[in-house]
Amino acid sequence: MKKLILIDDHAMLREGIASWLTKNSDCEIILQCENFEKLQSAFEKSNFSTEDTIIAIVDLSYKTENCKIESETGWEIIKWLNTKNIPSIVFSSHDTGTFIEKAMGPDIRARGFVSKTSDEKVLLDAINMVAAGKTYIQPDLFSGFIETKSILSALSSKEQEIADLIMHNFENEEIAEKLNLKLHTVENYISKIYDKTGTNSKKGLIELLL
């Protein structure tokens, strides 16, 4: 039996998915958490067997304390689960090529990606594939992932990092501070990104990568 951990701060959606999977598959929901802190706390109290096939279904965005801004702590959750040898499937409304590229890339190493707008059967397909030791990307998202992967492969690692921050609406000054770079260095990187992607503005770059 496949055992699942669900991490999502939308309780109604989380419980709905849990109910559907329980009724329509051989999956057992062993843990539901609304944020990273509760996941870590619950994990410490658990006695999961290393022989169990455990898979985590992870949302990317979580409400902050003021509930006005969402933080993408899902990345950190997936990396933490990797240290526990628990593979993750991203289940998110952020389903553009750049998010899939990051999720499936060498830094995050998710094993699957499914959009929240998909049918529950697609999520079950992903669970079965990951349980079999394979990776899974929702079929109708795959072309966008390949296109974005091709574009980003032309960029250096630092340029990819800056492009990702641009996608998240960071201003140049904020990018410089976050990456500990001088402002003119960031501007030079952005200029190179534009040249390599054939764009001439942040709006154009975002539209290309979405």
Side-chain angles (χ1 to χ4, degrees), residues 154-206:
L155 305 181
S156 69
S157 58
K158 185 61 68 177
E159 288 165 353
Q160 289 184 26
E161 194 172 6
I162 289 172
D164 183 61
L165 292 172
I166 290 172
M167 290 291 295
H168 289 80
N169 297 312
F170 279 76
E171 298 296 334
N172 291 3
E173 294 80 3
E174 295 172 315
I175 294 173
E177 182 178 355
K178 187 174 182 65
L179 300 182
N180 196 27
L181 297 172
K182 293 182 178 179
L183 179 58
H184 72 84
T185 301
V186 170
E187 292 169 344
N188 287 338
Y189 272 120
I190 292 174
S191 179
K192 291 179 181 178
I193 292 169
Y194 289 163
D195 287 341
K196 290 182 178 181
T197 58
T199 56
N200 56 19
S201 68
K202 289 183 178 179
K203 180 180 178 181
L205 179 66
I206 292 171

Side-chain angles (χ1 to χ4, degrees), residues 91-176:
F91 187 54
S92 174
S93 56
H94 299 295
D95 55 11
T96 62
T98 50
F99 280 97
I100 302 172
E101 163 69 14
K102 182 172 181 178
M104 307 298 286
D107 183 42
I108 305 300
R109 294 186 293 119
R111 298 303 303 277
F113 199 107
V114 175
S115 171
K116 281 188 174 181
T117 62
S118 69
D119 187 274
E120 291 91 342
K121 293 179 181 178
V122 177
L123 181 58
L124 182 55
D125 286 343
I127 292 168
N128 290 331
M129 289 288 282
V130 172
K134 301 177 182 180
T135 59
Y136 181 95
I137 297 174
Q138 184 176 323
D140 59 345
L141 299 179
F142 194 75
S143 60
F145 163 65
I146 292 298
E147 183 177 352
T148 299
K149 188 175 179 66
S150 176
I151 293 169
L152 293 179
S153 66
L155 305 181
S156 69
S157 58
K158 185 61 68 177
E159 288 165 353
Q160 289 184 26
E161 194 172 6
I162 289 172
D164 183 61
L165 292 172
I166 290 172
M167 290 291 295
H168 289 80
N169 297 312
F170 279 76
E171 298 296 334
N172 291 3
E173 294 80 3
E174 295 172 315
I175 294 173

